[in-house]
Amino acid sequence: MPDAFSERKLTARYPTDLRAWAALRDHFRDDIRGRTLGDLFARDRGRVERFTASAGALSLDYSKNHLTAKTRKLLVRLAKEAGVPAAIEAMFAGEPINVTEQRSVLHVALRSKIADTIALDVPGVRDVWKVLSAMEVFVDGVQSGQVAGSTGKRLTDIVNIGIGGSDLGPVMVSRALRPYWQDGMRFHSVSNVDGTQLADLTSELDPETTLFVICSKTFTTLETMTNARMAREWVVGRLGADAVTDHFVAASTNHAAMNAFGIHPEYRFGFWDWVGGRYSVWSAVGLSVALVTGMGVFRRLLAGGRVMDQHVRQAPFEENLPVLQALLAVWYNNFHGAESQAILPYDNRLDRFPAYLQQLQMESNGKSVRMDGRPVRCRTGMVIWGEAGNNAQHSFYQLLHQGTRLIPVDFLLPVRSSGATQAQQDLAIANCLAQAEALMDGYLADGLEPYRAHAGNNPSSMLLFEELTPETLGQLIALYEHKVFVEGVIWGIDSFDQWGVELGKRLASALAGAVDGNSPYDGGNASTSALLERARAYRP
Ligand code: F6P
């Protein structure tokens, strides 16, 4: 029997057939297309207040976007006609909303309190707090030195080995929370298959003080298992085979594979199939973060995520940050024809946040088939890209200001410095505000050479918050997670599978033997064949 959600999904209508969609198309043509942002501000004195919403520690000023109160009303109607309220509740109820894999989607349970009673009947959910406690015991042990390396030295260099969500989450969060690292602890990461990251690290690190955290939901991923085996060889070569149990821990859902690798039973931290890779930093995949920051900080991150979970369920859609962000994305993507969105954080500690969001949004919503198996009839996930602060200004902002494309921008602006002087963060604030203003207002003056003119009218949203703390970071991540989900519900796609990455993986394993010439290439692609030949000729 299909559950209520999949039944609804299978009968769901195309968004383009919804009444609100048609109304938005007319509204775009009649009321929006010919108006500039300047016009919209001139006509509405209360615009900034009308288009500012907040949740937890985050405030979102989305007044510098091409919308009016009527646009928002129609977009909210679209979300309701598309079934977003029921879909949000279905996720929290643990219904298998990942329909192609028949799985619940419960990263929200990872940051809930047991009293929230989120999907407690779904197998594994009641174990969330047990795993957190086990992580806490281990983290405290490592930080106090009670859990030490094989030669008795304190483990101070934590190396996360993983890829995709098992890398981007730990890397992004640990960089963002640099001021919270405990004395003497250092975070490193290894992800790519070519081996250079590990080679560089092992030339600097002392194996006696190094702890590898192997993160892999499946524990079969080529890149991660290759790097993990190479790391094990390094440890065995320097400290002997018995040292493996003291220098490797793992986070995975695959207990048999962790066992086979030689991970000590007490050093295996589990999670569950209802945690998607790109949603997994809240689980044991966050262990390396907890090891450098301490478990208290990790729990504060979870608490931040929970604030946004409560907000997305309770806030009216007109004031609901993830819903508003999703609706703006749909508005630009499907009605204005925008192809990409830039994420521009003004704190260098968030420098991997755009990359993190690339996986979150593009792996989730880069889909062309609906949940019911039919092709979509509208564009789905936009290209997401970005870079931190002034580095981005001195790189690609030229195109934002004077290029030919519509690129909506999300600025992320913490007010307090996260570790340098406030005077420097004040400069970052001034730059961020200046850029948003320049994008909107542009610059045109009599007699100005055309190449100096800025047409302006470029949209942006400003997510402003007091300080980059574990709580605000948790809120930010969860905000974008829910945004992605709401977009997916409107488009009728499954935001929680990732079948599009499988073909390349399969071809790569077929090609692996052909690169070193041990087996013939029989794939039949003439270009691959010629490139293989050239590569073989260059191999050392
Ligand atoms: O190839 C994509 C992917 O499956 C991601 O979704 C995931 O985050 C990554 O690979 C790593 O997978 P695992 O955690 O199983 O090693």
Side-chain angles (χ1 to χ4, degrees):
M1 278 292 285
D3 60 279
F5 182 80
S6 14
E7 214 166 357
R8 261 199 314 276
K9 272 294 124 197
L10 295 176
T11 55
R13 293 165 63 196
Y14 283 99
T16 46
D17 290 341
L18 298 174
R19 282 173 42 207
W21 191 282
L24 279 160
R25 215 170 20 212
D26 293 346
H27 167 63
F28 173 69
R29 186 193 57 222
D30 300 339
D31 309 324
I32 297 292
R33 206 169 39 188
R35 288 223 178 105
T36 64
L37 292 172
D39 293 341
L40 296 177
F41 271 84
R43 285 158 45 101
D44 181 0
R45 281 170 166 268
R47 186 169 172 85
V48 175
E49 205 176 307
R50 197 178 320 286
F51 296 110
T52 298
S54 56
L58 311 179
S59 83
L60 172 72
D61 172 355
Y62 60 105
S63 63
K64 294 193 280 305
N65 282 289
H66 295 278
L67 86 166
T68 62
K70 181 174 173 189
T71 323
R72 181 172 60 194
K73 197 163 138 206
L74 291 175
L75 285 168
V76 166
R77 193 180 298 163
L78 176 70
K80 290 187 177 161
E81 284 180 16
V84 171
I88 292 174
E89 282 318 302
M91 173 167 71
F92 281 90
E95 287 189 41
I97 62 169
N98 175 354
V99 291
T100 71
E101 297 180 298
Q102 272 302 298
R103 288 179 183 163
S104 308
V105 173
L106 281 171
H107 44 278
V108 292
L110 299 169
R111 53 222 189 195
S112 69
K113 293 191 172 164
I114 197 156
D116 297 338
T117 61
I118 290 175
L120 290 178
D121 51 337
V122 171
V125 170
R126 284 180 184 273
D127 295 332
V128 163
W129 299 277
K130 280 187 211 150
V131 174
L132 282 172
S133 303
M135 284 167 68
E136 181 141 35
V137 169
F138 181 70
V139 166
D140 289 351
V142 170
Q143 291 193 339
S144 68
Q146 266 180 331
V147 173
S150 58
T151 59
K153 283 198 184 165
R154 191 168 166 234
L155 295 162
T156 50
D157 284 281
I158 309 301
V159 182
N160 190 83
I161 302 183
I163 197 160
S166 299
D167 169 72
L168 285 162
V171 170
M172 184 277 285
V173 172
S174 60
R175 288 176 79 87
L177 299 183
R178 181 69 184 80
Y180 297 85
W181 291 12
Q182 303 268 326
D183 269 356
M185 300 300 291
R186 284 176 297 268
F187 176 93
H188 314 272
S189 65
V190 172
S191 53
N192 258 322
V193 79
D194 58 71
T196 51
Q197 288 164 298
L198 187 65
D200 290 347
L201 274 180
T202 51
S203 70
E204 286 166 9
L205 294 182
D206 175 357
E208 293 182 68
T209 58
T210 300
L211 177 68
F212 291 97
V213 180
I214 309 175
C215 275
S216 176
K217 181 173 173 179
T218 55
F219 227 73
T220 56
T221 305
L222 171 82
E223 298 84 348
T224 302
M225 298 325 293
T226 306
N227 282 317
R229 277 192 296 272
M230 296 308 285
R232 186 173 56 187
E233 264 182 37
W234 180 66
V235 168
V236 170
R238 301 294 193 289
L239 303 174
D242 290 347
V244 170
T245 49
D246 294 318
H247 292 269
F248 286 85
V249 300
S252 181
T253 57
N254 185 344
H255 291 268
M258 289 193 271
N259 202 15
F261 189 90
I263 304 290
H264 190 286
E266 281 177 31
Y267 295 171
R268 294 178 206 158
F269 301 90
F271 56 108
W272 307 272
D273 70 357
W274 40 259
V275 183
R278 51 196 176 274
Y279 301 87
S280 65
V281 71
W282 318 95
S283 71
V285 166
L287 180 64
S288 48
V289 175
L291 281 163
V292 288
T293 62
M295 203 59 195
V297 169
F298 189 69
R299 287 188 191 275
R300 289 172 60 190
L301 178 83
L302 301 184
R306 180 171 174 267
V307 167
M308 198 53 70
D309 297 340
Q310 291 176 330
H311 173 81
V312 79
R313 283 181 96 175
Q314 290 162 8
F317 280 6
E318 292 78 4
E319 295 159 27
N320 193 311
L321 259 58
V323 172
L324 288 169
Q325 288 280 67
L327 291 174
L328 276 170
V330 168
W331 181 229
Y332 283 121
N333 182 12
N334 298 113
F335 296 89
H336 294 246
E339 288 180 349
S340 77
Q341 187 191 16
I343 307 292
L344 307 170
Y346 274 74
D347 182 327
N348 201 65
R349 298 201 198 282
L350 285 171
D351 64 346
R352 292 300 281 163
F353 197 68
Y356 179 85
L357 290 192
Q358 275 177 335
Q359 187 199 15
L360 179 64
Q361 302 209 43
M362 293 164 79
E363 199 172 69
S364 297
N365 285 346
K367 313 274 164 76
S368 50
V369 171
R370 289 162 52 84
M371 287 208 216
D372 56 16
R374 291 180 292 172
V376 295
R377 286 190 193 148
C378 64
R379 290 199 211 188
T380 58
M382 280 197 274
V383 175
I384 300 295
W385 56 290
E387 176 67 72
N390 291 48
N391 284 352
Q393 289 178 205
H394 289 270
S395 160
F396 54 73
Y397 273 37
Q398 165 66 38
L399 184 144
L400 297 181
H401 287 293
Q402 290 187 315
T404 53
R405 292 167 197 281
L406 171 68
I407 303 177
V409 164
D410 272 5
F411 289 108
L412 273 61
L413 182 59
V415 173
R416 293 195 188 187
S417 168
S418 71
T421 62
Q422 186 58 36
Q424 278 195 265
Q425 185 59 19
D426 290 347
L427 285 174
I429 296 169
N431 273 272
C432 181
L433 297 180
Q435 294 297 330
E437 186 178 307
L439 282 170
M440 178 182 134
D441 290 344
Y443 177 56
L444 298 167
D446 283 345
L448 192 67
E449 297 93 328
Y451 50 82
R452 286 191 207 277
H454 289 54
N457 205 28
N458 296 298
S460 68
S461 300
M462 182 73 64
L463 265 166
L464 185 136
F465 46 102
E466 187 174 335
E467 194 179 347
L468 183 59
T469 61
E471 289 86 353
T472 52
L473 182 64
Q475 290 170 23
L476 278 172
I477 303 170
L479 161 62
Y480 282 97
E481 287 177 349
H482 294 318
K483 173 211 178 204
V484 167
F485 176 46
V486 172
E487 286 175 350
V489 174
I490 292 172
W491 292 323
I493 57 178
D494 183 343
S495 297
F496 302 104
D497 62 12
Q498 58 282 320
W499 297 103
V501 298
E502 294 305 323
L503 175 62
K505 286 186 194 171
R506 186 150 49 78
L507 293 180
S509 28
L511 272 164
V515 174
D516 60 15
N518 280 334
S519 54
Y521 166 68
D522 52 12
N525 182 299
S527 171
T528 307
S529 188
L531 290 166
L532 261 180
E533 223 166 281
R534 202 166 300 160
R536 281 193 201 130
Y538 284 140
R539 285 188 74 243

